[in-house]
């Protein structure tokens, strides 16, 4: 296979384009996954390697991201997060996780009993993200004061208070629709 493998990333040509896999597996394991990936009718297809489980077959980037924004004072965390903006959202697909491998992420403790990470993915000063269900990423982030242990603790408190909205609850918020390209860097 002609391509490049370094730093937890494998890039290789496939179907007149290039594909990329990032992860915390060894270079040999990532190359084995890449070798089992083809493109059929414009969609990537991976033959599952022995010992691994395919968790999601959806798009890399979801067509929509649901995000709600608040003032940090509105959610009672102005002291820890500053007078800026606090946001929470839900996304799906591998795009968010892929960005975590490209960025520096730190252990964020547990949220609802699930491992969480702190990073700069999704903007702001920091984002605390966890996987409440397979293939779904929930996050809470902020723009305001500098990232420190107090800010991380505040994000964890907000995350513990978070809950998923039903479709009707989401529509009842009268969400503003902003047409943007969901194309992470």
């Amino acid at each position: 296979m002609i391509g490049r493998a370094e730093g937890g990333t494998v890039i290789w040509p496939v179907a007149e384009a290039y594909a990329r896999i990032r992860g915390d597996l060894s270079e040999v394991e990532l190359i084995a996954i890449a070798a089992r990936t083809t493109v059929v009718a414009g969609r990537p297809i991976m033959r599952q390697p022995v010992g691994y489980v395919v968790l999601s077959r959806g798009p890399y980037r979801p067509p929509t991201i649901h995000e709600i924004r608040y003032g940090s004072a509105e959610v009672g965390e102005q002291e820890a997060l500053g007078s800026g903006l606090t946001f929470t959202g839900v996304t799906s697909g591998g795009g968010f996780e892929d960005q975590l491998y490209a960025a520096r992420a730190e252990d964020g403790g547990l949220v609802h009993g699930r491992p969480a990470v702190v990073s700069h993915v999704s903007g702001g000063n920091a984002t605390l993200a966890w996987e409440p269900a397979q293939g779904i990423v929930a996050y809470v982030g902020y723009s305001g004061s500098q990232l420190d242990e107090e800010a991380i603790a505040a994000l964890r408190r907000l995350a513990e208070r978070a809950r998923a909205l039903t479709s009707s609850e989401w529509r009842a918020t009268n969400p503003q629709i902003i047409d943007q390209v969901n194309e992470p860097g």
Side-chain angles (χ1 to χ4, degrees):
M1 177 184 307
I2 298 171
R4 187 177 86 217
E6 63 186 20
T9 302
V10 175
I11 299 172
W12 77 102
V14 62
E16 299 179 18
Y18 284 87
R20 176 184 66 214
I21 293 177
R22 277 196 274 235
D24 57 2
L25 299 173
S26 73
E27 187 174 296
V28 170
E29 290 168 309
L30 290 173
I31 290 170
I33 291 170
R36 298 181 66 81
T37 304
T38 58
V39 175
V40 176
R43 294 189 159 278
I45 305 294
M46 187 197 52
R47 293 182 329 274
Q48 182 173 311
V50 174
Y52 292 93
V53 176
V54 175
L55 296 177
S56 175
R57 296 191 185 273
Y60 171 75
R61 290 179 299 273
T64 60
I65 295 176
H66 294 158
E67 187 173 280
I68 300 175
R69 298 175 181 201
Y70 308 91
S72 294
E74 287 178 71
V75 294
E77 294 293 353
Q78 182 174 357
E79 187 175 322
L81 301 178
S83 59
L85 182 71
T86 296
F87 53 92
T88 184
V90 177
T91 187
S92 61
F96 193 96
E97 288 97 335
D98 183 52
Q99 290 178 74
L100 287 173
Y101 286 115
R104 192 175 130 246
E106 299 175 18
D107 181 359
L110 296 176
V111 174
H112 298 289
R114 307 293 294 251
V117 294
V118 176
S119 73
H120 295 287
V121 173
S122 285
N125 287 68
T127 305
L128 176 76
W130 69 101
E131 198 175 48
Q134 186 173 302
I136 302 294
V137 174
Y139 58 88
V140 176
Y142 79 104
S143 295
S145 65
Q146 291 298 318
L147 178 63
D148 58 17
E149 290 303 316
E150 188 177 339
I152 293 170
L155 291 175
R156 199 174 300 111
R157 286 190 298 273
L158 290 170
E160 286 294 341
R161 293 182 357 216
R163 69 173 182 82
L165 298 178
T166 65
S167 293
S168 59
E169 288 172 325
W170 173 255
R171 285 189 302 276
T173 68
N174 295 317
Q176 177 184 13
I177 297 172
I178 300 173
D179 235 355
Q180 297 180 11
V181 176
N182 183 13
E183 183 74 37

